[in-house]
Amino acid sequence: MTHAIARIGRDAPYATQIDFGTHGLVADEPVARGGGDAGPAPYELLLGSLGACTAITLRMYAERKGWAVEGIEVALFLHGQGETLNIERVLTVTGTDAEQNARLAEIAEKTPVTLTLKGGVPIATRFG
């Protein structure tokens, strides 16, 4: 089971330690929003997750196909607010041709995190 634990204390206004088993990082809000900018903001983490999943999935697909992909860059931009939120994803892949890029664009729409975001996922909240 995938899991994460987020902890916030009183030392810094919004700095939050996030532990993922043997890995960890700090999330925070930018100074303009009252934070200390000690790490990425929550929406930046969301975009980072989508970007990592996209890059990893495309690399795996290209390897299975035997394509000589030199590099993959996934730039992500969050636009709007509230119910008008949308994500723009820009792929830059080196070492592929137009036909391969078209296929990679199709695959990008089917990555696990992409499908989760597009389909939504129920969240059950309780006190422990």
Side-chain angles (χ1 to χ4, degrees):
M1 171 173 58
T2 302
H3 76 282
I5 299 173
R7 294 180 179 91
I8 191 168
R10 298 183 68 153
D11 298 339
Y14 302 119
T16 303
Q17 177 65 43
I18 306 172
D19 294 309
F20 311 89
T22 60
H23 303 286
L25 60 85
V26 174
D28 200 355
E29 289 290 341
V31 174
R33 293 184 49 110
D37 201 28
Y43 273 125
E44 292 170 327
L45 291 170
L46 179 71
L47 292 179
S49 295
L50 177 59
C53 184
T54 301
I56 290 167
T57 302
L58 295 183
R59 168 66 71 193
M60 289 176 170
Y61 184 83
E63 285 176 353
R64 279 196 303 274
K65 291 294 189 178
W67 296 348
V69 172
E70 297 168 18
I72 300 168
E73 178 180 288
V74 182
L76 295 147
F77 306 91
L78 186 66
H79 300 289
Q81 55 181 291
E83 293 192 22
T84 66
L85 276 178
N86 66 81
I87 297 172
E88 175 187 6
R89 175 170 43 195
V90 180
L91 304 175
T92 304
V93 182
T94 53
T96 53
D97 59 32
E99 186 177 318
Q100 291 167 329
N101 285 345
R103 183 64 182 138
L104 290 173
E106 291 174 6
I107 296 301
E109 293 300 321
K110 299 175 183 176
T111 70
V113 173
T114 298
L115 295 176
T116 299
L117 289 173
K118 286 183 172 186
V121 62
I123 300 172
T125 303
R126 65 180 172 85
F127 278 89

